[in-house]
């Protein structure tokens, strides 16, 4: 009888263990599902969150960085595709891909499947170091506008607060033939005669002329 009793006890023990395990797995699955749903909801909320800049311009808190971005066209399309997708695109001439980004943006905005318009996006770019003299700031921005295929930027930043010697450019041509605008030549190309104050005056003129909605460093 003792052996039978033990067998019966062990049988019920295994049943209880299996039953408990099932509920534990079910609890973990439901918890994981809830966490995933909450994460998606939080991401959607974050993507819609904005920071207000000095001129009351609202900037999306989360943006798509484009430095070393591979498969640019597919990346831009995927980033913009969903209602909760990226609306802020961060660019720079020294990433040497603004022309490709511009093509991808134009293709997406003109697509029959997209409801997005230019004003739905927040596009940022930056002033490269060879164009810090006041008379060169607008030339540099117009080159970026040509590459990105847009008429204005939402935010234009001084990329580095150090000026380089000027590099001749054609603001009407797209792309870059080399990377000379990002070459300090171990400091030999630094132009100490150009102050941040002079550069900033050139930046302010961009806002006055409607080429940039907001400026910064």
């Amino acid at each position: 009888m003792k052996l039978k009793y033990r067998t019966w006890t062990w049988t019920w023990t295994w049943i209880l263990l299996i039953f408990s395990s099932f509920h534990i797995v079910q609890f973990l699955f439901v918890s994981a599902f809830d966490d995933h749903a909450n994460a998606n909801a939080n991401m959607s909320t974050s993507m819609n969150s904005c920071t207000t800049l000095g001129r009351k311009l609202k900037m999306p808190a989360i943006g798509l960085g484009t430095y070393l971005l591979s498969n640019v066209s597919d990346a831009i399309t995927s980033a913009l595709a969903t209602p909760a997708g990226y609306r802020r695109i961060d660019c720079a001439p020294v990433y040497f891909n603004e022309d490709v980004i511009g093509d991808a943006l134009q293709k997406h905005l003109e697509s029959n499947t997209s409801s997005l318009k230019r004003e739905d996006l927040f596009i940022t770019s930056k002033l490269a170091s060879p164009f810090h003299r006041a008379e060169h700031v607008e030339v540099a921005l117009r080159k970026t506008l040509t590459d990105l295929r847009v008429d204005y930027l939402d935010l234009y930043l001084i990329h580095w607060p150090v000026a380089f010697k000027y590099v001749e450019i054609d603001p009407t041509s797209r792309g870059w033939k080399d990377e000379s605008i990002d070459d300090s030549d171990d400091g030999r190309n630094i132009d100490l005669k150009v102050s941040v104050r002079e550069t900033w005056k050139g930046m302010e003129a961009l806002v006055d002329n409607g080429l940039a909605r907001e400026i910064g460093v």
Side-chain angles (χ1 to χ4, degrees):
M1 287 296 294
K2 285 186 176 180
L3 182 61
K4 184 177 180 181
Y5 174 76
R6 288 176 182 175
T7 303
W8 184 257
T9 301
W10 278 110
T11 300
W12 275 106
T13 300
W14 279 111
I15 291 172
L16 289 172
L17 283 172
I18 293 171
F19 183 77
S20 299
S21 298
F22 171 77
H23 279 277
I24 290 172
V25 171
Q26 185 181 42
F27 171 77
L28 291 174
F29 176 80
V30 171
S31 296
F33 180 82
D34 288 342
D35 288 344
H36 180 70
N38 290 335
N40 284 340
N42 290 337
M43 175 59 75
S44 178
T45 301
S46 298
M47 297 297 276
N48 291 326
S49 299
C50 291
T51 299
T52 302
L53 303 181
R55 292 178 175 81
K56 307 302 181 183
L57 180 65
K58 292 188 179 296
M59 178 180 72
I62 297 179
L64 176 68
T66 59
Y67 179 57
L68 298 179
L69 186 67
S70 58
N71 300 320
V72 173
S73 183
D74 291 341
I76 294 292
T77 300
S78 298
L80 300 178
T82 64
Y86 290 94
R87 296 298 178 262
R88 172 180 155 200
I89 312 296
D90 182 77
C91 313
V94 296
Y95 300 165
F96 300 103
N97 59 5
E98 286 191 324
D99 56 328
V100 185
I101 293 170
D103 291 342
L105 286 173
Q106 184 182 59
K107 180 180 179 181
H108 186 82
L109 292 175
E110 293 180 352
S111 170
N112 293 330
T113 60
S114 174
S115 61
L116 284 179
K117 299 178 181 178
R118 166 63 186 93
E119 53 266 30
D120 297 322
L121 304 179
F122 191 100
I123 302 177
T124 301
S125 190
K126 307 172 186 76
L127 178 70
S129 292
F131 313 113
H132 279 209
R133 289 190 179 276
E135 64 267 25
H136 299 150
V137 173
E138 184 173 324
V139 175
L141 175 55
R142 289 191 178 278
K143 172 72 170 75
T144 281
L145 295 179
T146 298
D147 282 340
L148 291 175
R149 297 189 183 278
V150 294
D151 297 325
Y152 67 92
L153 292 181
D154 297 282
L155 177 62
Y156 196 47
L157 303 171
I158 299 175
H159 205 159
W160 297 103
V162 177
F164 289 177
K165 294 176 182 177
Y166 179 63
V167 175
E168 190 75 33
I169 61 170
D170 177 3
T172 65
S173 68
R174 302 186 73 242
W176 298 94
K177 62 181 180 181
D178 55 44
E179 298 187 2
S180 58
I181 64 167
D182 197 33
D183 183 13
S184 71
D185 192 19
D186 293 326
R188 286 183 286 272
N189 280 337
I190 293 177
D191 189 347
L192 297 176
K193 297 179 181 179
V194 183
S195 68
V196 174
R197 179 184 294 272
E198 176 184 349
T199 307
W200 191 252
K201 287 183 178 180
M203 298 284 284
E204 289 179 325
L206 302 176
V207 178
D208 295 337
N209 295 333
L211 299 174
R213 300 177 68 194
E214 186 63 271
I215 52 176
V217 179

